Amino acid sequence: SMRSREAYYARQKYLFALVFVAVSIVPLLFLNYNASRFYQQSWIEKTSLELSTLAGDRRALIDRFLEAQEDQLAAFLSLYDPKTLSDGRRLAALFNAMNRSGVITDLGVIDRRGNHLAYQGPFAKELAGKNYVATEWFAEVMKNGRYVSDVFAGYRKVPHLIVAVADPGRTWILRATINSGLF
């Protein structure tokens, strides 16, 4: 009969369209999904690698900068004695010479017992009469001759880091506070 034949062809046409869609579009969707996942994964890996390289480069740069600050302190320590630098004008002149770029917040001269002999900087009131003999940085600089701290608040209650160098006989220390805002 004509009707059953038309129904049969209509169903065949519908099945053909369904098979055509399944065969052509489903693989495209599958490929698109996999390509998207692959691209996302490779982008994440590439970005992670770039960020870790950048962080490593920055760390090396900061380490070199802090070593240069240590070397500068050691050079001044060898040029002066604590009595000379205990004169406020001499310490102020040294501070100004070291701090042309605004890197250093303050400079201090400390004796082997942890007492401030002289100080140049904005925290004179907070640090007046302080003794550092019980602090970690003091013990480290007396043991190793040099010390660079992590960022900490300390007596001044402001995040900062210090670079300190002792003379070979460990009789006195020249200590600079680095402006942590630089980092």
Side-chain angles (χ1 to χ4, degrees):
S1 100
M2 195 63 123
R3 269 191 156 179
S4 65
R5 205 182 273 173
E6 284 177 14
Y8 171 77
Y9 284 122
R11 196 169 56 244
Q12 290 297 89
K13 206 173 6 175
Y14 174 75
L15 282 173
F16 178 75
L18 196 62
V19 167
F20 178 77
V21 166
V23 167
S24 61
I25 294 184
V26 169
L28 284 176
L29 292 174
F30 179 74
L31 285 172
N32 188 24
Y33 173 75
N34 282 335
S36 171
R37 281 190 51 209
F38 173 78
Y39 174 76
Q40 185 179 21
Q41 187 63 35
S42 74
W43 183 82
I44 288 170
E45 286 172 9
K46 183 179 179 211
T47 304
S48 297
L49 181 65
E50 285 177 7
L51 288 175
S52 65
T53 302
L54 183 64
D57 291 348
R58 290 276 167 92
R59 182 189 171 121
L61 188 65
I62 290 168
D63 286 346
R64 278 195 294 270
F65 165 76
L66 291 172
E67 282 171 22
Q69 295 304 313
E70 271 185 286
D71 291 342
Q72 186 179 32
L73 283 178
F76 285 123
L77 196 102
S78 67
L79 289 172
Y80 296 99
D81 59 61
K83 196 170 276 186
T84 304
L85 287 184
S86 292
D87 174 349
R89 285 175 304 156
R90 287 279 173 89
L91 190 62
L94 180 61
F95 175 76
N96 291 333
M98 288 179 72
N99 200 34
R100 289 205 170 107
S101 59
V103 165
I104 296 170
T105 304
D106 59 25
L107 194 59
V109 178
I110 295 145
D111 70 13
R112 67 170 5 139
R113 291 176 201 88
N115 299 311
H116 250 134
L117 299 179
Y119 175 82
Q120 178 67 38
F123 294 98
K125 194 191 300 181
E126 290 85 346
L127 301 178
K130 296 296 182 199
N131 183 285
Y132 295 101
V133 78
T135 61
E136 179 193 345
W137 74 263
F138 184 82
E140 285 293 321
V141 77
M142 290 305 272
K143 185 172 111 182
N144 300 320
R146 289 181 168 211
Y147 181 71
V148 176
S149 76
D150 290 328
V151 176
F152 69 107
Y155 290 129
R156 62 191 79 198
K157 309 288 187 245
V158 175
H160 63 287
L161 61 93
I162 60 166
V163 176
V165 178
D167 70 316
R170 307 293 194 268
T171 58
W172 69 290
I173 296 166
L174 190 55
R175 182 187 96 151
T177 302
I178 306 298
N179 180 356
S180 59
L182 289 170
F183 304 109

